[in-house]
Amino acid sequence: MWWFVMEINYKVERLDHLGVVSGLIKELGIIEFVDERLSPPKGADLEEISSGEAVAGMIMNGLGFTARPMYMTPDFFKTKALESLFRQGVKAEYFNSNKLGKTLDRIYSYGYEKLLFEISAYVCQQEEICTQFCSGDTTTLSTNGEYAQKDDENAINITHGFSKDRRPDLKQVVLELLCSQDAGVPLAMKVLDGNASDSAIFKERSEELVKQLNTTEQAKYYIFDSKLYSKENAKNLALLNFITRIPKSIKESKMAVDEAIEHNQWVKLDENNKYFLKNITHYGVNQRWLIVYSKAAANRARKRIEKAIFKENSSIVLQLKKISKLSFCCEKDALLALERLNKPLKYHDILLKSQIEKIKNNKTKDGNDESIYRIISEIVSKTETKEEKINQESCFIITSNVSTEELADHEIINKYKNQNTCIENTGFRFLKDPMFFVSSLFLKKNSRIMSLLSIMMLSLLIYTVAQRRLRKSLEKTKETIPNQIKKPTEQPTIRWIFQLLEGINVIKIISNSIVKVVIEGIDQLKNKILRYFGRKVSETYGLYYQIE
């Protein structure tokens, strides 16, 4: 009788949500797209992974949300199912800092702005993403390290500046980002010096957009915050279809709000908002100003101003107690003291109750009378000032030079409000996530930081495309997915979906040199979710994909 001993080994590799990221990268053709543009120099040694695969690896590391810096990418991939995510033969050590650094250098040489713009346009065309409405804004990103000198004359200057992160102690870079209002997909970017101002950035962006008007396909309408609107930038604005906000520092802004309040001819938007239309030529540009009144803003303004009034009143009472005990040698000095007390007040006036009181008569050495004066006063509230201030802070002005035939008033207002949704709530919140390794940058070269930020934008691109594709599928099938509190939703965030997909593993069963691959951890809900992302994602998880 013969006995055979069969040795069986098991290897468990994690897949989790990274199969979604990998599947989308493959389906969109990003690896091949990058490889066509970032080919290694002639005569270079054969590379284990291509530049496109290195870019895909950095995107996966970024969307892994493990707070690992880029140089720890090999550690990140040690436990991952690399053959499922990439191809056979790919190893974790291939994603070393030397390879990733070379890839970042190639991105910089090709043009980090150009690469993102081209990939984004390519993806938007495939996914039929609307790029008609483009929102733009800036943020700051803190860096670690000294960065004393530029490594390239075209590289940015990493330095101290106004920190939107409230970290003035750290050097920083400024990131300008343009996103589509359809899902917040990044369309273009620019990395600037850490002390660059928004006004200068938006003026330069406007000039670039004007140059591109007849040369490239681009967005039709541009939505920016109030820094776009200035007298210096008016020439460019006249040539673009813009939607922006009028700065409160402009004199005509206050006058327009006063006019809207006085006329009281509001157009209702909803239960909490209304607007007043004013057609105007300002800075030589024909435009319409939409003065928007918000009940919520009015309530906030009233609370804030009443708090300021109470604080000012308390301060005055204390000062009057002190000044009422002082003695002045003449009436003029007493009046000057009262005037100095009145000057900084916003919401009150200090009035004399009666004439300044002469409280004592003494004889001087030369026999003349000496009078000592004291102030008797009362505090009076400036009611009109209070209401005027509340009215001013309850309103904001949106302006556009787009005709009413193209966009109605309410559409202009809604598109401006969407600015916050696609830029702040999607783009910048994504970048500032503490689990995302761009939150605090450290690289040896300034130029590599510029390239790394383009990788971050590509990560955002995949993130927003995945979220959009899922939501569109749910809308089409009229299905829902349970949210964090187990309630059905048609608008889940992709971050939540990524969390739901945790626990999916690739198990390799090795017996007598025969390898059998099993994917485990896919329950009914995960199966349902994964099919919404398309064929390549389903194939990555070993699922049968059927087009409905």
Side-chain angles (χ1 to χ4, degrees), residues 301-327:
R302 188 170 294 277
K303 287 179 182 178
R304 185 167 56 251
I305 289 168
E306 285 178 351
K307 185 178 179 180
I309 290 171
F310 177 79
K311 186 176 179 181
E312 186 178 90
N313 184 275
S314 301
S315 175
I316 297 167
V317 169
L318 289 174
Q319 291 182 69
L320 284 178
K321 280 184 179 179
K322 292 178 181 178
I323 204 170
S324 64
K325 296 176 182 178
L326 297 178
S327 300

Side-chain angles (χ1 to χ4, degrees), residues 331-346:
E331 187 174 350
K332 183 179 178 182
D333 287 348
L335 288 170
L336 282 173
L338 190 64
E339 186 180 337
R340 282 194 297 271
L341 199 60
N342 246 324
K343 193 172 182 180
L345 301 182
K346 292 181 179 179

Side-chain angles (χ1 to χ4, degrees), residues 68-98:
R68 278 191 173 94
M70 193 183 67
Y71 66 84
M72 293 185 69
T73 302
D75 291 335
F76 170 76
F77 279 124
K78 270 184 180 178
T79 59
K80 304 300 184 291
L82 292 179
E83 290 189 357
S84 297
L85 297 175
F86 294 94
R87 55 178 170 80
Q88 284 190 347
V90 174
K91 299 179 181 178
E93 57 263 30
Y94 294 167
F95 296 90
N96 54 66
S97 57
N98 183 47

Side-chain angles (χ1 to χ4, degrees), residues 17 38 58 120 130 132 149 182 213 219 252-253 290 330-331 355 391 415 418 449 458:
H17 69 279
L38 304 183
M58 286 187 276
S120 179
C130 175
Q132 288 267 296
Q149 295 179 344
D182 182 358
L213 279 175
E252 292 85 351
S253 168
L290 302 170
C330 66
E331 187 174 350
Q355 291 297 319
N391 286 334
K415 290 300 178 185
N418 286 343
I449 283 187
L458 290 175

